[in-house]
Amino acid sequence: MRFYIRIHFNFLFFCFQEVQVLKSLILGEEERGQSQYQVMCFIFHFPKDSFISSDAMAKLRQKNPSTIRTPEDDLGRTNHTMDYVVVLKHSGIISPHIADMCAEAGMATYTVHEDVVKWAAVQDIPIESYKPALKRFPTRSFLSNDVAESTLANCSDIKNMWTPCECHLELCIGWYPCGLKYCKGKGQTKNSVMSYRCGIKTCKMCHLFAYYVSQKQQCLWDE
């Protein structure tokens, strides 16, 4: 089966919130009855210590932009089980950029319960303040404040194209600036060593998302 994923990704850091958004566009499979594309947004926590300052980014210059880049560090894969659909008109409490960036995604904008807890702590507001912005999946049952279980079958395990299921989608960012690079040089005295900023470190990172779809037809690649 052929499917194509075009990924737009942005690192968002606003009002001391730690928010990362991955936006994906997947072209339809015409031979399987899909004439249009799908757009999804995945919103999750972005560690503060991974943030690169704007002044450092402004100095980044990429020579030979057509060259295939090899990342210095492979950060592996992070799994995310999405618990909520984000209601775009109320998404400003998470980030003011989400409504515009994810406008095409509509009800296919997702986030994770444990990350909502982290954002509430960063903002020092009750987690209940996020309630208007979140719609829980009908098959997600919370056992405690931060643990949830799914009563939904994996899309790969069912045959009926119109049955709800849990879809899986892996998105990989093959090369991106992920931190500052420091080099060592001679210090002011004969035997001393000093560290200085000498560039920007690059990384590779993959994310595997598990999320609810109302019908397997929306998840044909998960087979």
Side-chain angles (χ1 to χ4, degrees), residues 57-63:
M57 287 297 296
K59 297 176 183 178
L60 178 64
R61 296 292 183 269
Q62 183 176 340
K63 297 180 180 179

Side-chain angles (χ1 to χ4, degrees), residues 105-118:
M107 294 301 291
T109 300
Y110 308 102
T111 195
V112 183
H113 179 76
E114 62 180 314
D115 290 347
V116 176
V117 174
K118 293 175 183 177

Side-chain angles (χ1 to χ4, degrees), residues 173-192:
I173 304 168
W175 185 92
Y176 70 99
C178 59
L180 300 178
K181 186 189 298 183
Y182 291 89
C183 298
K184 292 184 178 180
K186 293 183 179 180
Q188 295 180 348
T189 60
K190 182 177 180 180
N191 296 321
S192 65

Side-chain angles (χ1 to χ4, degrees), residues 10 12 21 23 39 41 43 87-92 95-106 109:
N10 288 283
L12 306 179
V21 178
K23 177 182 176 182
V39 177
C41 275
I43 303 169
V87 181
L88 292 182
K89 67 179 179 180
H90 298 301
S91 63
S95 167
H97 305 284
I98 293 173
D100 288 336
M101 181 177 178
C102 301
E104 286 188 283
T109 300

Side-chain angles (χ1 to χ4, degrees), residues 84-88 90-94 129-135:
Y84 300 114
V85 169
V86 176
V87 181
L88 292 182
H90 298 301
S91 63
I93 191 171
I94 300 174
S129 302
Y130 287 82
K131 188 175 181 180
L134 305 173
K135 182 178 179 181

Side-chain angles (χ1 to χ4, degrees), residues 136-142 149-153 164-166 212-213:
R136 186 177 298 176
F137 292 142
T139 55
R140 300 293 291 171
S141 174
F142 283 90
E149 66 174 3
S150 176
T151 59
L152 203 63
C165 55
E166 186 169 84
Y212 169 87
V213 291

Side-chain angles (χ1 to χ4, degrees), residues 146-180:
D146 57 359
V147 178
E149 66 174 3
S150 176
T151 59
L152 203 63
N154 291 333
C155 291
S156 59
D157 296 333
I158 63 174
K159 301 299 182 183
N160 190 328
M161 288 294 175
W162 313 111
T163 301
C165 55
E166 186 169 84
C167 186
H168 297 84
L169 177 63
E170 183 175 26
L171 302 178
C172 292
I173 304 168
W175 185 92
Y176 70 99
C178 59
L180 300 178

